[in-house]
Amino acid sequence: MEALRQDDPRRFGPYTALVRFRETASAVLYLAHDADGDGRVVVTAARPKLAAVPAFRRRFQAEARLAERLSGGWVQPPLAGPKDDGLWTAAAYVPALTLAEAIALAGPLPERAVRILGAGLAETLSRVHATGSVLQGLAPGTVLLAEDGPRLTAFGPLGGAASAEARAGGQLSVRLGYLTPEQIEGREAGTPSDLFVLGLLLAYAASGTTPFADGPVDGAAERIAHAPAELDGVPDALRELIAGCLAKDPADRPGAGAVAAKLALEGAAGMARGGWLPDPVAAAVTDQAARVRALAAPSDARTGAGTSPAAPADAEPTDAPPVHAAPLGSGEAADGAEEDTGTTRFPRTGPRAPQGDRATTQLSVPRELPAPAAPQAPPALPAHQPYPYAARPLPPAVPGSVPSAPGPPAPAPGRRALLTAVAAGAAGLVVGGGGVLAVGSDGTAAATDDKPVAKPRPTVPGRAPEPRWTYSHPAGEPAPLTAGIWQDELLVLTSSAGATGVDLRTGRARWTCEEAAGAQTVRAAGDTLCLLAGPTELLWLSPRDGRVEHRVRYADQFTGVPGLEVGPVVGADGAVLWFTGSHTVTVKAPKPKKGKKPGKDTQAAKAYLFAYDVVRRKEVWRAAVPAGRDTGTPAYRLTAVRTTDVVVVQDPATLTPADVAAGKGKATFRCFDRTTGKQLWTRQFGSVAPAAASAGDEEGRLYAAVGDGLQAFETDTGKPVWTLSGTKSSVFGTPVRAGKLLHTTSRDQEVGAVDAATGRTAWRRSTEVPLGGDAPALTLSGGGKTLLAADATQLTAFAVADGRRLWKFQDIGVQDPRGDTVSAAYRVLAAGKNAVVQRERAFYAFPVA
């Protein structure tokens, strides 16, 4: 850190700069406070000369957008961005050292720490690759080592740049810090390039040097492209995996998901539990946090006046390596150290325990800060040339200083363009941050220079509990179509190849049944059988061994409907299953009038809603309903199941054009008697749209999204009861009734609870997932005390009673080393005291209340 200079901006939107925090080739990072003066944020502001280049602006903004899409896990969501006051992004501050600082301070990391570091980075790469992007932002200066795991702070070439400059004609040149064999040969970087760079970074973390550092500078490019990697300093247990990442042929490198699984099967967050940093690094992180807390806010936010003196306007940017702070409480500098008058003096403030509403890290609870340890002299590093950021000797400690990231060296680009610069010895990992010269004009890159951490919130979410078991569906089989729970004893998965029964106690596959291929619904059929509904038949399986005990073809079971085509299952309650179906009938032309030609017979679809008893294997009733579009079979959503009736609404995708016109933009709900199938009423409620989320309850209320709010109606009269207003442009998802409370969810990524009778808010909390996408899907635990919100980013658990965020969970999914990265949304199945969480092929059983 250093004091603000006279020409440094003092304000970035709602944030007021306190000190310069770090510098990169393309940006200056400022530590700032928010409008309340309590929260600390890191603002990444583009260097003015680069910000004026249109190609740089486009790339900076593209990288910021990718950072926002990747938010969660080891990537903290950007808190804000500029409107008209410059090119910058902001993220909450997290106490951490860069990897370069950590290696310079404590030498190579232990094997366990390397595994956690690599798993966290690979998890993030997996998510980057799922968006179709290539990161190119990995470097020792863009990776932070925080108390609970690694953080990635750069999401494209700008972050990983060893130097960047504006050229004449509005062009942008960027020299990358790390290169790959394919880039040296003039090929475009793809997702395997990120795995090569990850291998370089892990080798550096494990040995303190880079695999191609040994040799003359002018041969660096040749060594990267053709020489074997020098991995003698890497632990044996990691050598094979890192060597695989460093394969010359991109096709021979593993996928990011496979690397993450091999490094930490339980995930980086789980493995980091209980601490993972070497003692000198942990002490420096604690020291940094205490000193940042001690920073005084400027006395006048409007003018920027404050306690930190400004450096002269003509002061050159510092390129100093990290400075290790003197122990807290020490009143003197290290031997012979003079006072650094260009650095803000920070009061001596000891560490203190985190407050109750500390900032949220996406996957973990902050541990209590340890007592500061005296700094230790770094051990001797291997004789090989390390990454240049960490190569310089450390100066003596300066009182009041905080370990800060060194500014990367920025040598002038070579005289030749593009990859010819590499042949002159600008090998990014060997010499002072050389690399590929990227000339930008219309280039769009992948993401942002962003810092993970969190802003103080009312509650502290924790790490997910240890799963009781995990199950991975075999990679050689098709992905599951659906999953269901039988009697809280068996998890049944279906796919296009068959069904699999997984024991809920152990997580082990109990049986497979190929005859159940294509089934899309799993239900209990009494206490002894499991029902699977397929496209052409119903199957009853033994839960013990998966053997088919009974089967009924729709064509044989339902009389009077030849050629019956069955639609999706609407829902079930007890032994009764509801589904739709249709068949084609011939409509005879009316008898022509005398002297007129006879008309032609026509074909028309007739549709029904069926009620079927799966225990007695007998049709209960069928009710004629309007036919849907295309095949004629409508699809219904079950809105309410009550003692005497059921309420359904048609999926808008199956509405005919005539139905759409007749509805005038409103949804039509239908109510049927549960015993006879008689249609009791057809009704529209307010301005509820066909696609709006809706749910009903036993007490006769219907809850539905209307505009940016949620409304409750009396189903008997259609009259509104109450309205819950949302924020502008918010859209509510399907609510869940539990006791007297109605749990709500919205695209604002907020989950809440209101009194079902009055609409009065009991609590409302954020999942802390970036805005965008659908509202989280809600599931109530079997014990009724935990509410689980699942979306495409993570799973968040809340306490039903007061809305406390209990924990969060993210998983990179299971993938074949050469397969596609998993990006499926999370799904939750309540099973007694377990919550079974699915992400495509991966299943976890978490204990819940």
Side-chain angles (χ1 to χ4, degrees):
M1 285 192 228
E2 65 170 288
L4 296 174
R5 300 173 184 175
Q6 291 180 1
D7 56 349
D8 280 330
R10 270 22 182 204
R11 293 297 299 269
F12 298 91
Y15 306 113
T16 302
L18 297 172
V19 292
R20 279 183 166 231
F21 192 53
R22 294 187 174 104
E23 293 190 44
T24 71
S26 60
V28 177
L29 282 67
Y30 297 92
L31 189 69
H33 73 76
D34 59 16
D36 297 331
D38 298 327
R40 294 292 183 261
V41 301
V42 174
V43 175
T44 301
R47 294 188 181 276
K49 289 183 179 179
L50 294 174
V53 180
F56 179 91
R57 296 182 66 87
R58 287 192 293 271
R59 189 173 290 273
F60 189 98
Q61 291 162 350
E63 293 185 11
R65 288 192 296 271
L66 183 57
E68 187 170 352
R69 292 201 301 272
L70 294 175
S71 297
W74 305 117
V75 179
Q76 190 71 11
L79 298 176
K83 290 184 172 61
D84 300 314
D85 55 348
L87 202 62
W88 57 270
T89 61
Y93 160 76
V94 63
L97 299 187
T98 67
L99 177 60
E101 292 171 340
I103 297 297
L105 176 65
L109 300 180
E111 179 187 330
R112 178 171 174 270
V114 175
R115 286 184 176 275
I116 294 168
L117 170 67
L121 295 178
E123 289 168 10
T124 303
L125 283 181
S126 182
R127 296 172 59 205
V128 172
H129 297 168
T131 69
S133 301
V134 181
L135 185 67
Q136 295 184 283
L138 287 178
T142 65
V143 173
L144 296 180
L145 307 188
E147 190 181 41
D148 60 348
R151 297 292 195 285
L152 185 59
T153 68
F155 304 89
L158 296 183
S163 68
E165 66 174 9
R167 289 292 188 87
Q171 290 186 319
L172 168 69
S173 69
V174 174
R175 290 169 68 90
L176 296 182
Y178 273 155
L179 289 180
T180 65
E182 53 268 32
Q183 289 175 299
I184 289 173
E185 294 173 359
R187 288 179 284 161
E188 185 176 357
T191 54
S193 298
D194 283 338
L195 272 299
F196 187 90
V197 176
L198 177 63
L200 295 173
L201 203 67
L202 295 183
Y204 169 63
S207 65
T209 187
T210 52
F212 305 103
D214 192 13
V217 168
D218 56 6
E222 178 66 20
R223 292 196 298 276
I224 294 171
H226 302 294
E230 295 290 338
L231 299 176
D232 292 343
V234 175
D236 294 343
L238 297 174
R239 196 170 299 159
E240 182 179 355
L241 178 61
I242 293 177
C245 292
L246 295 176
K248 304 302 182 184
D249 187 347
D252 292 336
R253 297 170 200 157
V259 171
K262 289 181 180 179
L263 287 171
L265 186 60
E266 69 271 49
M271 193 173 181
R273 201 166 294 161
W276 71 291
L277 297 176
D279 289 343
V281 177
V285 169
T286 301
D287 189 28
Q288 183 194 96
R291 296 180 188 281
V292 168
R293 285 197 302 269
L295 275 175
S299 59
D300 188 347
R302 291 170 298 179
T303 63
T307 60
S308 299
D314 58 354
E316 291 296 324
T318 179
D319 226 4
V323 179
H324 184 61
L328 288 177
S330 170
E332 296 180 0
D335 295 341
E338 297 180 359
E339 180 176 357
D340 181 2
T341 57
T343 303
T344 303
R345 295 295 302 272
F346 304 123
R348 296 294 183 187
T349 304
R352 49 187 187 188
Q355 301 301 310
D357 68 346
R358 287 256 327 193
T360 294
T361 54
Q362 290 288 352
L363 300 178
S364 63
V365 175
R367 294 185 289 111
E368 180 151 328
L369 297 175
Q376 303 177 12
L381 299 181
H384 302 293
Q385 171 74 14
Y387 190 82
Y389 292 8
R392 306 173 191 149
L394 293 174
V398 177
S401 65
V402 179
S404 61
R415 289 172 292 182
R416 303 180 219 178
L418 300 175
L419 294 169
T420 56
V422 180
L429 58 151
V430 183
V431 203
V436 66
L437 187 68
V439 180
S441 55
D442 295 320
T444 57
T448 195
D449 223 12
D450 179 21
K451 287 287 161 301
V453 199
K455 192 176 170 70
R457 300 288 176 107
T459 56
V460 181
R463 295 184 180 94
E466 289 291 337
R468 287 176 170 155
W469 52 258
T470 61
Y471 170 79
S472 296
H473 200 59
E477 298 183 11
L481 294 170
T482 192
I485 302 294
W486 181 83
Q487 301 288 54
D488 290 344
E489 294 181 15
L490 194 69
L491 170 67
V492 181
L493 315 178
T494 71
S495 73
S496 58
T500 302
V502 179
D503 194 311
L504 274 179
R505 295 170 301 173
T506 64
R508 296 176 181 173
R510 185 185 292 180
W511 49 257
T512 59
C513 176
E514 294 181 359
E515 295 178 83
Q520 297 184 5
T521 301
V522 177
R523 303 293 307 183
D527 296 332
T528 58
L529 296 176
C530 176
L531 175 81
L532 275 67
T536 61
E537 62 182 350
L538 298 171
L539 296 174
W540 285 259
L541 274 61
S542 166
R544 180 174 55 85
D545 56 14
R547 187 180 61 210
V548 177
E549 300 285 350
H550 306 283
R551 68 193 323 146
V552 168
R553 291 179 55 82
Y554 298 120
D556 301 332
Q557 177 73 36
F558 301 96
T559 60
V561 283
L564 176 66
E565 292 190 14
V566 175
V569 170
V570 178
D573 184 52
V576 178
L577 185 77
W578 294 286
F579 60 90
T580 56
S582 68
H583 72 120
T584 302
V585 297
T586 300
V587 180
K588 292 189 175 293
K591 187 177 180 180
K593 294 182 179 180
K594 190 175 182 180
K596 299 291 185 179
K597 291 182 179 180
K600 293 183 179 180
D601 295 343
T602 57
Q603 301 292 308
K606 292 191 68 174
Y608 305 90
L609 175 65
F610 292 91
Y612 187 82
D613 190 310
V614 299
V615 174
R616 294 187 298 159
R617 297 194 293 279
K618 181 179 179 180
E619 180 182 345
V620 180
W621 50 258
R622 72 182 70 170
V625 294
R629 70 186 310 161
D630 297 333
T631 64
T633 304
Y636 285 126
R637 302 196 306 269
L638 189 62
T639 300
V641 178
R642 303 189 285 212
T643 305
T644 59
D645 56 35
V646 293
V647 180
V648 299
V649 63
Q650 188 169 344
D651 189 312
T654 65
L655 290 170
T656 66
D659 291 334
V660 173
K664 297 180 179 179
K666 299 180 182 179
T668 299
F669 294 81
R670 303 178 188 278
C671 180
F672 298 88
D673 185 280
R674 285 194 61 166
T675 304
T676 65
K678 178 182 178 182
Q679 184 168 302
L680 302 178
W681 50 257
T682 300
R683 185 169 291 130
Q684 294 179 328
F685 294 90
S687 58
V688 178
S694 60
D697 63 17
E698 182 67 34
E699 297 176 13
R701 280 186 291 269
L702 174 78
Y703 311 98
V706 179
D708 58 9
L710 184 73
Q711 280 191 286
F713 300 88
E714 292 179 354
T715 54
D716 290 341
T717 64
K719 293 181 179 179
V721 179
W722 51 258
T723 299
L724 176 67
S725 298
T727 59
K728 186 177 180 181
S729 301
S730 70
V731 178
F732 280 84
T734 304
V736 172
R737 176 73 189 267
K740 295 182 179 181
L741 294 178
L742 181 75
H743 295 289
T744 64
T745 175
S746 75
R747 289 186 187 173
D748 286 343
Q749 303 307 316
E750 286 189 333
V751 174
V754 300
D755 186 287
T758 65
R760 184 176 301 168
T761 299
W763 55 263
R764 184 181 294 183
R765 301 284 186 270
S766 170
T767 64
E768 296 185 332
V769 169
L771 300 184
D774 295 329
L778 301 182
T779 303
L780 191 66
S781 66
K785 296 181 180 180
T786 306
L787 185 68
L788 299 146
D791 53 37
T793 300
Q794 69 186 28
L795 175 72
T796 311
F798 297 89
V800 166
D802 55 13
R804 284 177 297 114
R805 278 187 299 272
L806 301 175
W807 47 266
K808 300 181 180 183
F809 172 71
Q810 283 189 332
D811 171 63
I812 62 169
V814 177
Q815 69 168 23
D816 181 89
R818 303 190 186 282
D820 294 333
T821 302
V822 176
S823 57
Y826 295 85
R827 183 187 177 200
V828 181
L829 299 169
K833 295 182 179 180
N834 291 324
V836 178
V837 178
Q838 176 190 5
R839 192 161 187 237
E840 200 169 70
R841 295 178 181 274
F843 294 82
Y844 303 82
F846 289 107
V848 291

